[in-house]
Amino acid sequence: MTGGAGFIGSNFVHHVVRHTDDHVVVADKLTYAGNRASLASLPEDRVSLVVGDIADAALMDGLIADADVVVHFAAESHNDNSLDNPRPFLDTNIIGTYTILEAARRHGTRLHHVSTDEVYGDLELDDPARFTESTAYNPSSPYSSTKAASDMLVRAWVRSFGVQATISNCSNNYGPYQHVEKFIPRQITNVVRGIRPKLYGSGTNVRDWIHADDHSRAVLTIIERGRIGETYLIGADGEKDNKSVVELILTLMGQPADAYDHVADRSGHDLRYAIDSTKLRTELGWSPVYDDFETGLAATIEWYVENEAWWSGAKDGVEEFYARKGH
Ligand code: NAD
Ligand code: DAU
């Protein structure tokens, strides 16, 4: 698998080790977003880490030649970074995915490509519709446009070259091991550090939250039972506006619910994401285990409070970046 030292990838590795007998080879460049410590507690006879770039064709060819299944998580994943410097997003998300597709094509290896609901653009707050597998692509940011491009490459390699691939597009994940640049960990670690949480713009933007463990179970389900060439949307009916999430974090951490600041909005900020995961639920029988956001969020807060050593090294640099951007 690729990207196993990142947030969702490392949660996936923990999940696979807990629930299967499979051996996992993680290929990860260990960018600023990759962290060896996220895999440190796992048994060495079940997980090995190869440090390298998914755009390195020789490396990918060798690894994929030996793999039964490739699960492709690696990406540049943060919208704010893509607005600051888009180039690494093209290199990793587009050229990296192309490199993996070519290796999977040469060796006939089964591939699952992990993508995002952001490829569909955004919805109005009062729109009764949600994203489905047939919603037209309409990405807004450099990040989401490169993920959209990677999805299109996968579809083309399936159709033109017979690559044995599936795609999933998931909504916003939360849980342990998420980098402190992202919304929920940033606000939790702000409160721990005595910094007021920062809400972009009015805070009415809606995200559709799912626990990373539910994402992992969905990906395993698609690998086991998904139909080749198909796309599956992954979501847990978890729509919440950002203001409510910040207020809940503050309340769960024993602070006044209004102890946050409004800061400059994100350029091109998507208003609302919402997933209709009927296909995954009815065709493959998946459903989320974490059906109560407040309980999952409380456990996530506890993890960040207990694991300050995991995130403290990244915190100051992230806050300096945001301060420069007015966030
Ligand atoms: P992340 O930024 O936490 O982790 C990305 C990982 O990929 C890191 O370990 C990094 O070192 C590695 N990586 C980056 N560039 C690489 C390269 N060129 N070669 C090898 N490794 C490289 O990201 P995440 O939030 O865990 O997201 C994982 C995947 O899930 C991405 O494809 C993302 O688009 C998708 N996704 C994320 C979410 C979310 O809410 N975070 C939701 C839906 C889909
Ligand atoms: O929808 C799936 C996507 O979710 C993934 O594809 C991305 O990889 C992942 O990063 C995430 O994208 P978002 O842009 O939605 O996540 P982010 O954590 O950056 O922001 C979530 C919301 O919170 C968004 O509306 C912006 C807002 N925000 C973010 C930060 C960092 C704030 O209000 N304050 C903040 O400090």
Side-chain angles (χ1 to χ4, degrees):
M1 68 174 287
T2 71
F7 163 45
I8 304 174
S10 63
N11 276 284
F12 182 77
V13 182
H14 282 266
H15 190 86
V16 169
V17 168
R18 268 199 307 273
H19 297 287
T20 77
D21 297 325
D22 296 338
H23 179 81
V24 185
V25 177
V26 172
D28 197 296
K29 192 178 175 183
L30 297 183
T31 67
Y32 81 93
N35 193 337
R36 275 179 196 278
S38 306
L39 303 173
S41 61
L42 294 168
E44 283 175 19
D45 60 339
R46 298 289 308 282
V47 180
S48 29
L49 173 63
V50 177
V51 179
D53 194 325
I54 57 164
D56 178 337
L59 179 67
M60 288 305 114
D61 190 77
L63 291 174
I64 290 173
D66 293 337
D68 296 324
V69 182
V70 177
V71 193
H72 176 32
F73 288 93
E76 285 292 339
S77 69
H78 193 37
N79 278 300
D80 291 318
N81 291 344
S82 81
L83 294 163
D84 184 59
N85 178 21
R87 179 61 196 247
F89 290 74
L90 279 77
D91 293 337
T92 290
N93 300 356
I94 302 178
I95 301 299
T97 301
Y98 156 75
T99 307
I100 286 165
L101 281 166
E102 283 291 82
R105 173 189 173 191
R106 268 192 299 278
H107 299 290
T109 313
R110 169 84 169 90
L111 170 68
H112 181 70
H113 175 64
V114 176
S115 193
T116 171
D117 60 357
E118 294 195 19
V119 299
Y120 299 114
D122 60 354
L123 298 161
E124 293 299 327
L125 294 179
D126 60 358
D127 191 337
R130 297 188 292 171
F131 300 139
T132 71
E133 288 77 6
S134 54
T135 303
Y137 274 41
N138 187 25
S140 311
S141 73
Y143 161 67
S144 54
S145 61
T146 58
K147 290 298 292 189
S150 70
D151 294 6
M152 292 302 167
L153 293 177
V154 176
R155 289 181 184 195
W157 262 242
V158 168
R159 176 159 173 164
S160 300
F161 303 124
V163 166
Q164 300 288 295
T166 41
I167 300 175
S168 56
N169 299 79
C170 188
S171 60
N172 285 64
N173 285 219
Y174 71 98
Y177 302 112
Q178 187 170 29
H179 197 276
V180 290
E181 69 190 357
K182 301 296 193 324
F183 177 54
I184 287 179
R186 183 184 185 204
Q187 314 313 339
I188 296 170
T189 56
N190 274 0
V191 175
V192 172
R193 285 277 170 96
I195 305 168
R196 285 165 70 89
K198 309 292 183 213
L199 199 54
Y200 289 3
S202 63
T204 51
N205 304 65
V206 169
R207 296 295 181 264
D208 189 353
W209 294 100
I210 180 173
H211 195 280
D213 264 352
D214 281 328
H215 188 179
S216 292
R217 284 190 316 102
V219 168
L220 271 187
T221 303
I222 296 166
I223 290 166
E224 283 160 13
R225 300 200 289 280
R227 285 182 291 136
I228 297 301
E230 292 292 314
T231 289
Y232 296 89
L233 263 55
I234 307 173
D237 298 337
E239 283 188 70
K240 300 261 177 302
D241 66 67
N242 294 341
K243 185 169 172 290
S244 305
V245 174
V246 164
E247 288 171 352
L248 185 56
I249 290 170
L250 283 159
T251 304
L252 289 170
M253 296 184 78
Q255 305 292 316
D258 62 353
Y260 62 84
D261 295 330
H262 288 276
V263 293
D265 207 352
R266 175 184 282 171
S267 177
H269 195 176
D270 280 339
L271 190 52
R272 171 174 163 240
Y273 306 137
I275 289 268
D276 178 345
S277 56
T278 303
K279 179 178 174 183
L280 178 65
R281 291 171 191 248
T282 54
E283 195 178 293
L284 303 186
W286 172 90
S287 60
V289 168
Y290 288 81
D291 52 4
D292 179 43
F293 180 69
E294 185 170 334
T295 307
L297 184 62
T300 304
I301 291 171
E302 196 180 327
W303 188 87
Y304 279 92
V305 169
E306 285 173 0
N307 290 277
E308 191 162 348
W310 182 88
W311 56 264
S312 61
K315 181 69 181 167
D316 290 348
V318 164
E319 290 308 316
E320 281 159 23
F321 170 79
Y322 282 134
R324 283 199 302 279
K325 300 287 164 195
H327 296 321

